[in-house]
PDB file of all heavy atoms in Angstrom:
ATOM      1  N   TYR A 165      88.687 120.139  91.817  1.00 85.00           N
ATOM      2  CA  TYR A 165      87.825 120.881  90.901  1.00 85.00           C
ATOM      3  C   TYR A 165      86.678 121.601  91.619  1.00 85.00           C
ATOM      4  O   TYR A 165      86.246 122.661  91.216  1.00 85.00           O
ATOM      5  CB  TYR A 165      87.239 119.960  89.824  1.00 85.00           C
ATOM      6  CG  TYR A 165      88.285 119.380  88.917  1.00 85.00           C
ATOM      7  CD1 TYR A 165      88.500 118.017  88.871  1.00 85.00           C
ATOM      8  CD2 TYR A 165      89.059 120.192  88.103  1.00 85.00           C
ATOM      9  CE1 TYR A 165      89.459 117.472  88.036  1.00 85.00           C
ATOM     10  CE2 TYR A 165      90.033 119.665  87.270  1.00 85.00           C
ATOM     11  CZ  TYR A 165      90.215 118.301  87.240  1.00 85.00           C
ATOM     12  OH  TYR A 165      91.179 117.771  86.432  1.00 85.00           O
ATOM     13  N   ALA A 166      86.208 121.036  92.713  1.00 82.00           N
ATOM     14  CA  ALA A 166      85.067 121.607  93.418  1.00 82.00           C
ATOM     15  C   ALA A 166      85.434 122.829  94.250  1.00 82.00           C
ATOM     16  O   ALA A 166      84.549 123.513  94.744  1.00 82.00           O
ATOM     17  CB  ALA A 166      84.423 120.558  94.318  1.00 82.00           C
ATOM     18  N   PHE A 167      86.716 123.113  94.404  1.00 84.00           N
ATOM     19  CA  PHE A 167      87.119 124.248  95.226  1.00 84.00           C
ATOM     20  C   PHE A 167      86.695 125.578  94.613  1.00 84.00           C
ATOM     21  O   PHE A 167      86.465 126.539  95.317  1.00 84.00           O
ATOM     22  CB  PHE A 167      88.620 124.252  95.471  1.00 84.00           C
ATOM     23  CG  PHE A 167      89.107 123.100  96.307  1.00 84.00           C
ATOM     24  CD1 PHE A 167      90.434 122.754  96.278  1.00 84.00           C
ATOM     25  CD2 PHE A 167      88.244 122.362  97.101  1.00 84.00           C
ATOM     26  CE1 PHE A 167      90.908 121.702  97.053  1.00 84.00           C
ATOM     27  CE2 PHE A 167      88.711 121.310  97.876  1.00 84.00           C
ATOM     28  CZ  PHE A 167      90.050 120.987  97.838  1.00 84.00           C
ATOM     29  N   GLN A 168      86.630 125.665  93.299  1.00 82.00           N
ATOM     30  CA  GLN A 168      86.157 126.831  92.553  1.00 82.00           C
ATOM     31  C   GLN A 168      87.081 128.036  92.660  1.00 82.00           C
ATOM     32  O   GLN A 168      87.295 128.728  91.695  1.00 82.00           O
ATOM     33  CB  GLN A 168      84.730 127.221  92.952  1.00 82.00           C
ATOM     34  CG  GLN A 168      83.735 126.109  92.702  1.00 82.00           C
ATOM     35  CD  GLN A 168      82.366 126.419  93.252  1.00 82.00           C
ATOM     36  OE1 GLN A 168      82.186 127.332  94.048  1.00 82.00           O
ATOM     37  NE2 GLN A 168      81.381 125.651  92.834  1.00 82.00           N
ATOM     38  N   SER A 169      87.591 128.345  93.826  1.00 89.00           N
ATOM     39  CA  SER A 169      88.539 129.445  94.029  1.00 89.00           C
ATOM     40  C   SER A 169      89.278 129.172  95.337  1.00 89.00           C
ATOM     41  O   SER A 169      88.853 128.321  96.124  1.00 89.00           O
ATOM     42  CB  SER A 169      87.808 130.789  94.120  1.00 89.00           C
ATOM     43  OG  SER A 169      87.045 130.871  95.307  1.00 89.00           O
ATOM     44  N   ALA A 170      90.356 129.899  95.569  1.00 90.00           N
ATOM     45  CA  ALA A 170      91.106 129.707  96.811  1.00 90.00           C
ATOM     46  C   ALA A 170      90.228 130.000  98.022  1.00 90.00           C
ATOM     47  O   ALA A 170      90.240 129.266  99.016  1.00 90.00           O
ATOM     48  CB  ALA A 170      92.350 130.582  96.816  1.00 90.00           C
ATOM     49  N   GLU A 171      89.436 131.051  97.941  1.00 92.00           N
ATOM     50  CA  GLU A 171      88.549 131.418  99.055  1.00 92.00           C
ATOM     51  C   GLU A 171      87.508 130.332  99.314  1.00 92.00           C
ATOM     52  O   GLU A 171      87.295 129.922 100.456  1.00 92.00           O
ATOM     53  CB  GLU A 171      87.855 132.743  98.760  1.00 92.00           C
ATOM     54  CG  GLU A 171      86.971 133.226  99.883  1.00 92.00           C
ATOM     55  CD  GLU A 171      86.304 134.560  99.580  1.00 92.00           C
ATOM     56  OE1 GLU A 171      86.826 135.322  98.753  1.00 92.00           O
ATOM     57  OE2 GLU A 171      85.245 134.805 100.172  1.00 92.00           O
ATOM     58  N   LYS A 172      86.870 129.854  98.251  1.00 87.00           N
ATOM     59  CA  LYS A 172      85.861 128.791  98.410  1.00 87.00           C
ATOM     60  C   LYS A 172      86.505 127.508  98.912  1.00 87.00           C
ATOM     61  O   LYS A 172      85.910 126.777  99.707  1.00 87.00           O
ATOM     62  CB  LYS A 172      85.138 128.529  97.077  1.00 87.00           C
ATOM     63  CG  LYS A 172      84.335 129.687  96.577  1.00 87.00           C
ATOM     64  CD  LYS A 172      83.021 129.744  97.276  1.00 87.00           C
ATOM     65  CE  LYS A 172      82.152 130.824  96.631  1.00 87.00           C
ATOM     66  NZ  LYS A 172      80.926 131.027  97.344  1.00 87.00           N
ATOM     67  N   GLY A 173      87.724 127.223  98.459  1.00 87.00           N
ATOM     68  CA  GLY A 173      88.426 126.038  98.921  1.00 87.00           C
ATOM     69  C   GLY A 173      88.713 126.093 100.412  1.00 87.00           C
ATOM     70  O   GLY A 173      88.543 125.107 101.117  1.00 87.00           O
ATOM     71  N   CYS A 174      89.124 127.261 100.891  1.00 90.00           N
ATOM     72  CA  CYS A 174      89.382 127.425 102.332  1.00 90.00           C
ATOM     73  C   CYS A 174      88.094 127.263 103.133  1.00 90.00           C
ATOM     74  O   CYS A 174      88.097 126.619 104.188  1.00 90.00           O
ATOM     75  CB  CYS A 174      90.000 128.795 102.593  1.00 90.00           C
ATOM     76  SG  CYS A 174      91.699 128.930 102.024  1.00 90.00           S
ATOM     77  N   GLU A 175      87.002 127.812 102.619  1.00 91.00           N
ATOM     78  CA  GLU A 175      85.708 127.662 103.298  1.00 91.00           C
ATOM     79  C   GLU A 175      85.307 126.193 103.363  1.00 91.00           C
ATOM     80  O   GLU A 175      84.826 125.708 104.394  1.00 91.00           O
ATOM     81  CB  GLU A 175      84.631 128.471 102.575  1.00 91.00           C
ATOM     82  CG  GLU A 175      84.801 129.975 102.695  1.00 91.00           C
ATOM     83  CD  GLU A 175      83.873 130.759 101.782  1.00 91.00           C
ATOM     84  OE1 GLU A 175      83.010 130.141 101.106  1.00 91.00           O
ATOM     85  OE2 GLU A 175      84.010 131.989 101.741  1.00 91.00           O
ATOM     86  N   MET A 176      85.513 125.481 102.254  1.00 90.00           N
ATOM     87  CA  MET A 176      85.166 124.059 102.214  1.00 90.00           C
ATOM     88  C   MET A 176      86.015 123.276 103.218  1.00 90.00           C
ATOM     89  O   MET A 176      85.497 122.433 103.947  1.00 90.00           O
ATOM     90  CB  MET A 176      85.362 123.471 100.822  1.00 90.00           C
ATOM     91  CG  MET A 176      85.037 121.983 100.753  1.00 90.00           C
ATOM     92  SD  MET A 176      85.503 121.207  99.212  1.00 90.00           S
ATOM     93  CE  MET A 176      84.354 121.983  98.093  1.00 90.00           C
ATOM     94  N   MET A 177      87.299 123.576 103.280  1.00 90.00           N
ATOM     95  CA  MET A 177      88.167 122.857 104.211  1.00 90.00           C
ATOM     96  C   MET A 177      87.759 123.104 105.659  1.00 90.00           C
ATOM     97  O   MET A 177      87.825 122.193 106.490  1.00 90.00           O
ATOM     98  CB  MET A 177      89.621 123.245 103.975  1.00 90.00           C
ATOM     99  CG  MET A 177      90.174 122.624 102.718  1.00 90.00           C
ATOM    100  SD  MET A 177      91.916 122.965 102.549  1.00 90.00           S
ATOM    101  CE  MET A 177      91.970 123.417 100.837  1.00 90.00           C
ATOM    102  N   GLU A 178      87.314 124.291 105.974  1.00 93.00           N
ATOM    103  CA  GLU A 178      86.815 124.571 107.324  1.00 93.00           C
ATOM    104  C   GLU A 178      85.583 123.722 107.634  1.00 93.00           C
ATOM    105  O   GLU A 178      85.461 123.167 108.725  1.00 93.00           O
ATOM    106  CB  GLU A 178      86.489 126.052 107.479  1.00 93.00           C
ATOM    107  CG  GLU A 178      87.708 126.940 107.557  1.00 93.00           C
ATOM    108  CD  GLU A 178      87.368 128.413 107.655  1.00 93.00           C
ATOM    109  OE1 GLU A 178      86.203 128.761 107.975  1.00 93.00           O
ATOM    110  OE2 GLU A 178      88.274 129.225 107.414  1.00 93.00           O
ATOM    111  N   ARG A 179      84.664 123.610 106.664  1.00 93.00           N
ATOM    112  CA  ARG A 179      83.467 122.786 106.871  1.00 93.00           C
ATOM    113  C   ARG A 179      83.843 121.308 107.031  1.00 93.00           C
ATOM    114  O   ARG A 179      83.271 120.595 107.855  1.00 93.00           O
ATOM    115  CB  ARG A 179      82.474 122.979 105.719  1.00 93.00           C
ATOM    116  CG  ARG A 179      81.840 124.346 105.674  1.00 93.00           C
ATOM    117  CD  ARG A 179      80.654 124.428 104.722  1.00 93.00           C
ATOM    118  NE  ARG A 179      80.829 123.746 103.464  1.00 93.00           N
ATOM    119  CZ  ARG A 179      81.309 124.307 102.344  1.00 93.00           C
ATOM    120  NH1 ARG A 179      81.687 125.573 102.354  1.00 93.00           N
ATOM    121  NH2 ARG A 179      81.404 123.617 101.225  1.00 93.00           N
ATOM    122  N   LEU A 180      84.802 120.848 106.236  1.00 93.00           N
ATOM    123  CA  LEU A 180      85.238 119.452 106.324  1.00 93.00           C
ATOM    124  C   LEU A 180      85.851 119.162 107.690  1.00 93.00           C
ATOM    125  O   LEU A 180      85.626 118.105 108.267  1.00 93.00           O
ATOM    126  CB  LEU A 180      86.242 119.140 105.209  1.00 93.00           C
ATOM    127  CG  LEU A 180      85.685 119.198 103.787  1.00 93.00           C
ATOM    128  CD1 LEU A 180      86.803 119.011 102.775  1.00 93.00           C
ATOM    129  CD2 LEU A 180      84.578 118.192 103.569  1.00 93.00           C
ATOM    130  N   ASP A 181      86.597 120.115 108.217  1.00 93.00           N
ATOM    131  CA  ASP A 181      87.174 119.942 109.547  1.00 93.00           C
ATOM    132  C   ASP A 181      86.079 119.887 110.603  1.00 93.00           C
ATOM    133  O   ASP A 181      86.139 119.083 111.534  1.00 93.00           O
ATOM    134  CB  ASP A 181      88.162 121.068 109.848  1.00 93.00           C
ATOM    135  CG  ASP A 181      88.894 120.857 111.151  1.00 93.00           C
ATOM    136  OD1 ASP A 181      89.433 119.742 111.366  1.00 93.00           O
ATOM    137  OD2 ASP A 181      88.947 121.786 111.963  1.00 93.00           O
ATOM    138  N   GLN A 182      85.053 120.702 110.451  1.00 95.00           N
ATOM    139  CA  GLN A 182      83.947 120.701 111.398  1.00 95.00           C
ATOM    140  C   GLN A 182      83.200 119.373 111.384  1.00 95.00           C
ATOM    141  O   GLN A 182      82.728 118.909 112.423  1.00 95.00           O
ATOM    142  CB  GLN A 182      82.980 121.857 111.106  1.00 95.00           C
ATOM    143  CG  GLN A 182      83.558 123.207 111.418  1.00 95.00           C
ATOM    144  CD  GLN A 182      82.669 124.345 110.928  1.00 95.00           C
ATOM    145  OE1 GLN A 182      81.633 124.137 110.325  1.00 95.00           O
ATOM    146  NE2 GLN A 182      83.107 125.565 111.207  1.00 95.00           N
ATOM    147  N   VAL A 183      83.086 118.764 110.202  1.00 95.00           N
ATOM    148  CA  VAL A 183      82.443 117.449 110.093  1.00 95.00           C
ATOM    149  C   VAL A 183      83.310 116.376 110.765  1.00 95.00           C
ATOM    150  O   VAL A 183      82.799 115.398 111.289  1.00 95.00           O
ATOM    151  CB  VAL A 183      82.195 117.078 108.608  1.00 95.00           C
ATOM    152  CG1 VAL A 183      81.762 115.640 108.445  1.00 95.00           C
ATOM    153  CG2 VAL A 183      81.174 118.002 107.993  1.00 95.00           C
TER     154      VAL A 183
END
Side-chain angles (χ1 to χ4, degrees):
Y165 295 117
F167 294 161
Q168 300 173 346
S169 69
E171 183 179 336
K172 295 280 187 186
C174 288
E175 291 170 5
M176 179 189 292
M177 286 186 225
E178 287 178 16
R179 292 192 318 268
L180 294 174
D181 186 50
Q182 290 172 358
V183 170

